[in-house]
Amino acid sequence: MQADFRRIAVLGAGSWGTTFAKVLGDAALARGDHAAHVTVWARRAEAAEEINGEHTNVRYLPDIALPRNVSATVDAAEALQGAALVILAIPAQSLREQLREVSSAVEPGAVVVSLMKGLERGTDARMSEVIMQELAIAPEHLAVVSGPNLALEIAREEPTASVVAAADESVATAVAQAASAPYFRPYTNTDVAGVELGGIVKNVIALAVGICDGMGMGDNTKASVITRGLAETTRLALSLGGRLETMAGLSGLGDLVATCSSPLSRNRTAGRLLGEGRTRDQVAEAMTQTAEGVKSAPAVLHLAAQRGIEMPITEAVVAVLEGQITPEQMGARLLGRDLKSERPAKETH
């Protein structure tokens, strides 16, 4: 695919949307493309004014300077005008509604990239599926970015690798080239379902790890949850057409380890608060950013049940979120399961 991504729109001025705008801006400057420009759509006028005037977004990225080729607007249609590359960094549960409001402003033939890691409640749809439904675009014009994407670390220009997945490999390559900054190395993949599911389920497993953290559990416990969580993720991904090697890569194991181990992880933080005894509502009040796993966990469990996939960690996390069991009872439930082989001779996919 020959792509001219000199005009780029990023919808969403949170930590990851702003960080990815910085990545795209820095990538353009690094390759000497001084005509490229990134426009961020922000809901809050104060955020847009700060990005334009101070080249910062301190609410989400303190002490981070944005490149001069990144600007912002509160008008989504203005951001989308002429944009051949559209990046979506909108909370998963409000994506469909937002796309309906802006669909007419998306340029025909634009490549749309999802940064979201969630399942839509009520439909169990992945974000790529919501995007294709609402924008009526072909799979060949859609890509997803996933991997160990802790926004603040990337914004600090700490070396990071990630994955760009698209059904059309040339589209994945074009997006990867556009986002190839000196500190950000994108790999390509054509396993869209596997890459998305790795990013979705790891949030739920990070909640479980956070719960263990909040209860004062040690590294043995957390390593056990991470490892068995990867097994759960793999079973679900394979049942939906994902590939095994994807689960062992950056968007599977890599993202899971980062999200479960970093204090910067919103989902691990939410889990820790649950483990300390707070309710889901109290956790939401304490968090300044969305922990997608809290809202996606029931959808993940519902999707797994439809496919006949056993996901005991996810089931236990949902039970804690819904107040059916306490964190202490979660541990007892998982340890009390029937004994079996770590690698069953035959699994249901």
Side-chain angles (χ1 to χ4, degrees), residues 35-232:
H37 191 84
V38 183
T39 305
V40 179
W41 170 69
R43 289 182 180 274
R44 297 182 304 112
E46 315 90 83
E49 290 169 3
E50 182 188 343
I51 291 172
N52 292 331
E54 306 298 328
H55 299 285
T56 60
N57 188 355
V58 296
R59 180 176 181 178
Y60 296 108
L61 302 175
D63 303 319
I64 300 298
L66 301 177
R68 296 282 172 172
N69 56 358
V70 173
S71 64
T73 178
V74 293
D75 185 344
E78 179 184 341
L80 289 164
Q81 186 175 6
L85 181 62
V86 177
I87 313 296
L88 299 176
I90 298 166
Q93 306 310 322
S94 59
L95 176 64
R96 190 181 295 274
E97 178 184 358
Q98 191 61 60
L99 290 180
R100 288 177 179 172
E101 293 179 6
V102 304
S103 59
S104 62
V106 177
E107 296 286 343
V111 171
V112 179
V113 179
S114 168
L115 303 186
M116 290 87 66
K117 299 178 180 180
L119 280 183
E120 185 179 49
R121 290 182 298 181
T123 67
D124 301 339
R126 305 193 312 273
M127 296 298 98
S128 64
E129 294 171 324
V130 174
I131 293 166
M132 286 189 289
Q133 290 166 10
E134 294 301 328
L135 298 185
I137 62 173
E140 292 75 20
H141 281 186
L142 178 68
V144 301
V145 172
S146 195
N149 298 144
L150 295 164
L152 188 56
E153 289 189 2
I154 296 171
R156 290 172 178 160
E157 303 187 8
E158 298 177 16
T160 302
S162 196
V163 176
V164 177
D168 185 333
E169 189 168 5
S170 68
V171 170
T173 299
V175 174
Q177 289 172 342
S180 185
Y183 52 89
F184 190 78
R185 169 61 159 89
Y187 289 80
T188 59
N189 197 322
T190 56
D191 181 11
V192 175
V195 168
E196 275 192 295
L197 285 164
I200 292 165
V201 183
K202 59 94 185 183
N203 286 332
V204 182
I205 306 306
L207 286 172
V209 170
I211 290 171
C212 295
D213 218 20
M215 294 170 61
M217 300 295 179
D219 291 335
N220 283 340
T221 304
K222 288 178 277 190
S224 299
V225 172
I226 291 171
T227 305
R228 295 312 302 166
L230 180 60
E232 288 193 13

Side-chain angles (χ1 to χ4, degrees), residues 201 205 229 232-233 235-236 300-301 304 309-316:
V201 183
I205 306 306
E232 288 193 13
T233 306
R235 287 196 295 270
L236 183 60
V300 170
L301 185 59
I309 304 300
E310 191 177 20
M311 300 186 72
I313 298 174
T314 300
E315 183 179 355

Side-chain angles (χ1 to χ4, degrees), residues 242-268:
R243 298 198 293 264
L244 185 61
E245 58 268 28
T246 301
M247 295 300 101
L250 288 163
S251 60
L253 178 60
D255 201 7
L256 180 65
V257 169
T259 306
C260 290
S261 61
S262 174
L264 295 174
S265 165
R266 287 172 281 178
N267 291 281
R268 178 185 162 179

Side-chain angles (χ1 to χ4, degrees), residues 261-329:
S261 61
S262 174
L264 295 174
S265 165
R266 287 172 281 178
N267 291 281
R268 178 185 162 179
T269 299
R272 176 177 56 78
L273 295 174
L274 289 167
E276 291 173 352
R278 303 199 200 188
T279 66
R280 177 172 55 185
D281 290 343
Q282 289 171 335
V283 169
E285 289 176 6
M287 301 281 292
T288 58
Q289 298 186 60
T290 301
E292 289 288 4
V294 173
K295 297 184 177 181
S296 292
V300 170
L301 185 59
H302 185 258
L303 181 62
Q306 288 184 316
R307 308 291 299 184
I309 304 300
E310 191 177 20
M311 300 186 72
I313 298 174
T314 300
E315 183 179 355
V317 168
V318 171
V320 171
L321 287 170
E322 296 181 351
Q324 297 171 355
I325 63 173
T326 66
E328 291 79 10
Q329 290 170 327

